[in-house]
Amino acid sequence: LRDEDALKLKNSILRAFIMRQVSPEDDTSIYHVFERLNTGGTSLNPQEVRNAVYSGPFNEMLHELNNVEAWREILGKPKADARLKDIELILRFLALYKASDTYEKPMKTFLTNFMRDHKRGLLNQELKPVFLRTTESVRKSLGARPFHLRAGLNAPVFDAVFVAFARHAGRPPK
């Protein structure tokens, strides 16, 4: 820095806030603060916030699964979405497959809670093969881009079909 810039910086006031999480088990406050601060420039979508707040083995697995060839073919997009919409679809599937019995609206909160609860990756060994098997089965049975309508991918149809294929693996469709 030039001397005058260094002096200006030295004489400036820098405000800092230290936030302490009272309960280590409940990190929803971190998510809400991060989401609240996300107001300038291009706002992050919910999956981008989850990606930042709940990094770890589960998030890494989501990114890994997003590169699976059969998955990219189903989406009809060879490259990953910069805004993580494809990763959110994987999360939707895994959350509904594993925890649909606990689903409560809104979907955004359901997905956030699922990602928070599984960020350590304890279910990775169980969920990864389910995703791979289901993706291959859907691709073989329905072909490329089976969930696309004129407006793009239909997420609710994707959810229903992927969960049904996963839960009824190995049984021929009727």
Side-chain angles (χ1 to χ4, degrees):
L1 293 176
R2 295 179 311 186
D3 288 341
E4 66 183 59
D5 292 333
L7 184 61
K8 190 175 181 179
L9 182 62
K10 182 178 179 184
N11 291 329
S12 296
I13 295 173
L14 177 63
R15 298 190 197 292
F17 297 90
I18 298 173
M19 300 182 72
R20 190 170 59 100
Q21 186 172 304
V22 178
S23 173
E25 297 83 33
D26 181 18
D27 59 3
T28 55
S29 57
I30 292 171
Y31 181 87
H32 290 296
V33 168
F34 192 96
E35 191 174 45
R36 185 85 170 145
L37 291 172
N38 178 30
T39 57
T42 302
S43 291
L44 300 177
N45 66 40
Q47 188 58 37
E48 290 170 316
V49 174
R50 288 183 207 107
N51 187 62
V53 175
Y54 301 120
S55 62
F58 184 74
N59 191 42
E60 291 167 11
M61 180 191 70
L62 292 175
H63 283 269
E64 178 187 335
L65 295 176
N66 195 37
N67 293 316
V68 169
E69 183 183 335
W71 172 244
R72 303 299 331 154
E73 192 175 311
I74 287 169
L75 292 177
K77 296 180 180 182
K79 295 185 180 180
D81 185 86
R83 301 294 311 268
L84 308 180
K85 292 176 183 174
D86 40 12
I87 289 178
E88 185 173 58
L89 285 171
I90 297 170
L91 175 63
R92 284 173 70 109
F93 162 62
L94 296 176
L96 288 169
Y97 171 77
K98 187 67 180 170
S100 62
D101 56 331
T102 63
Y103 174 75
E104 288 183 21
K105 291 181 182 180
M107 177 65 83
K108 174 183 163 183
T109 303
F110 174 69
L111 295 177
T112 298
N113 291 342
F114 188 84
M115 193 153 173
R116 179 198 65 220
D117 294 346
H118 301 291
K119 68 182 177 185
R120 291 192 180 113
L122 300 178
L123 290 179
N124 286 11
Q125 295 297 322
E126 174 188 345
L127 295 178
K128 184 177 179 178
V130 169
F131 177 82
L132 295 173
R133 179 180 63 242
T134 303
T135 302
E136 195 56 45
S137 181
V138 167
R139 180 174 72 165
K140 283 181 182 174
S141 298
L142 304 178
R145 299 176 51 102
F147 307 108
H148 288 75
L149 302 173
R150 282 185 223 143
L153 188 135
N154 186 317
V157 171
F158 161 81
D159 294 340
V161 171
F162 249 68
V163 171
F165 265 76
R167 291 198 175 145
H168 302 286
R171 290 188 231 160
K174 293 182 181 182

